[in-house]
């Protein structure tokens, strides 16, 4: 049995969010990240991205419980064409962690409380090489550590089990590559639409699976596909998409 999948899947908890993706492709949102490096230091920041998992359907049940019963799976060929990359999982006390922190501290200062906020503000003093080094942080996550959500905190959560891939838009002077936690949380409206015109696009041929909760929603999904894609895509393409619908009930029972 393969340890990875030929499909990258993005999950969401809401059917409306899935319908929005099918209609308007993937929107780019700022997501909170905390990367803990050596000596208890952590980088806390928000960065624009879209996340996927590289988990075979036979192993994906636990992931569905954490991230939702609706999803869309796309081919890895599509991922390669669009510049997605696997997350770099780093053990917090490893030599690599220490080396990267030392390099980052070349131009990002630590704060008094033991945390370090990554800054995405344009700075003419930063060279292209320094910006490229900072860009690596957008693909970095701890191998394991505390998982903090609104309703729970899990100690020693193994993030590497998610086998995450990410799309992050190329950095430029027009859009922030990342912003500090404090800056984002004090001004979320400033960043909510920053990447609104930037979409991660796909075609019907790129889709391997459309995942919904149960059989009662199949007809609704089929109607949605026909309504939104009838002008842009052929009837044959739409019909092929309807054969790629899976339910979480099927996944839990048949894989």
């Amino acid at each position: 049995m393969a340890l990875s999948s030929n499909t990258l899947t993005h999950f969401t908890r809401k059917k409306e969010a899935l319908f929005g993706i099918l209609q308007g492709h993937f929107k780019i949102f700022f997501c909170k990240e905390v990367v803990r490096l050596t000596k208890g230091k952590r980088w806390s920041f928000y960065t624009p991205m879209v996340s996927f998992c590289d988990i075979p359907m036979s192993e994906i049940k636990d992931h569905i419980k954490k991230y939702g019963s609706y999803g869309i799976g796309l081919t890895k060929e599509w991922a390669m064409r669009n510049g997605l990359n696997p997350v770099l999982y780093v053990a917090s006390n490893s030599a690599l962690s220490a080396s990267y922190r030392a390099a980052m501290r070349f131009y990002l200062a630590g704060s008094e409380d033991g945390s370090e906020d990554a800054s995405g503000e344009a700075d003419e003093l930063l060279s292209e090489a320094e910006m490229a080094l900072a860009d690596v942080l957008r693909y970095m996550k701890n191998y394991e550590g505390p998982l903090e959500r609104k309703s729970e905190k899990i100690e020693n959560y193994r993030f590497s089990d998610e086998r995450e891939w990410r799309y992050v838009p190329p950095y430029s002077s027009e859009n922030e590559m990342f912003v500090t936690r404090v800056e984002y949380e004090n001004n979320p409206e400033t960043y909510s639409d920053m990447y609104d015109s930037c979409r991660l696009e796909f075609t019907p041929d790129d889709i391997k699976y459309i995942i919904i909760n149960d059989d009662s929603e199949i007809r609704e999904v089929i109607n949605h596909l026909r309504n939104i894609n009838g002008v842009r895509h052929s009837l044959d393409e739409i019909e092929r998409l309807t054969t790629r619908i899976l339910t979480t009930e099927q996944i839990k029972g048949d894989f």
Side-chain angles (χ1 to χ4, degrees):
M1 180 184 297
L3 297 178
S4 62
S5 174
N6 291 320
T7 304
L8 296 184
T9 310
H10 174 88
F11 283 96
T12 179
R13 296 187 181 280
K14 296 182 179 180
K15 178 174 58 180
E16 293 76 16
L18 173 61
F19 282 8
I21 292 169
L22 292 170
Q23 182 168 358
H25 305 286
F26 291 100
K27 294 184 67 174
I28 314 300
F29 293 102
F30 278 83
C31 298
K32 182 179 180 180
E33 290 295 322
V34 177
V35 180
R36 290 169 171 82
L37 300 179
T38 55
K39 299 179 181 179
K41 300 292 184 179
R42 69 184 188 274
W43 300 95
S44 180
F45 57 97
Y46 281 77
T47 192
M49 70 172 73
V50 184
S51 293
F52 301 81
C53 70
D54 179 15
I55 303 176
M57 285 295 166
S58 59
E59 304 292 332
I60 212 165
K61 301 177 183 67
D62 287 341
H63 198 81
I64 289 173
K65 292 178 183 177
K66 295 185 183 80
Y67 290 96
S69 297
Y70 300 92
I72 179 170
L74 298 118
T75 67
K76 273 192 177 167
E77 290 78 11
W78 167 85
M80 299 297 185
R81 290 197 308 270
N82 285 277
L84 279 73
N85 200 77
V87 163
L88 172 61
Y89 291 104
V90 180
S92 60
N93 291 318
S94 66
L96 175 60
S97 173
S99 295
Y100 187 76
R101 177 172 175 260
M104 287 290 285
R105 282 181 62 83
F106 175 72
Y107 64 95
L108 292 178
S111 64
E112 296 179 358
D113 67 352
S115 66
E116 302 181 66
D117 276 326
S119 173
E121 295 179 1
D123 188 342
E124 294 180 357
L125 298 178
L126 296 185
S127 68
E128 280 296 311
E130 290 167 339
M131 291 294 286
L133 176 64
D135 190 36
V136 175
L137 190 63
R138 300 198 294 174
Y139 293 93
M140 190 176 288
K141 205 171 189 74
N142 286 123
Y143 170 73
E144 65 180 14
L147 173 64
E148 300 180 15
R149 291 179 170 171
K150 293 180 180 179
S151 59
E152 64 177 342
K153 180 177 180 179
I154 303 174
E155 297 291 347
N156 300 318
Y157 180 81
R158 189 159 293 176
F159 293 103
S160 63
D161 287 347
E162 297 182 352
R163 303 176 195 173
E164 183 181 353
W165 284 55
R166 286 181 185 171
Y167 171 81
V168 295
Y171 61 85
S172 69
S173 58
E174 298 177 358
N175 294 315
E176 306 286 12
M177 63 187 298
F178 42 59
V179 295
T180 68
R181 175 184 56 81
V182 173
E183 183 179 359
Y184 180 90
E185 292 176 359
N186 286 342
N187 304 283
E189 64 282 351
T190 302
Y191 304 99
S192 60
D193 297 325
M194 180 172 286
Y195 284 90
D196 194 51
S197 61
C198 175
R199 302 295 173 101
L200 178 57
E201 298 186 358
F202 53 86
T203 69
D205 286 338
D206 297 318
I207 298 174
K208 291 286 291 295
Y209 304 111
I210 297 172
I211 300 170
I212 57 177
N213 189 49
D214 57 54
D215 289 347
S216 67
E217 298 170 321
I218 292 177
R219 177 52 56 188
E220 184 180 2
V221 175
I222 292 174
N223 289 338
H224 183 72
L225 290 171
R226 288 172 175 167
N227 289 337
I228 64 173
N229 291 320
V231 175
R232 290 181 295 172
H233 306 296
S234 69
L235 180 62
D236 182 57
E237 288 176 317
I238 303 303
E239 292 304 315
R240 286 204 305 273
L241 277 184
T242 65
T243 67
R244 297 170 188 172
I245 297 173
L246 282 177
T247 69
T248 56
E249 292 178 343
Q250 285 177 296
I251 294 171
K252 292 173 182 178
D254 299 339
F255 288 90

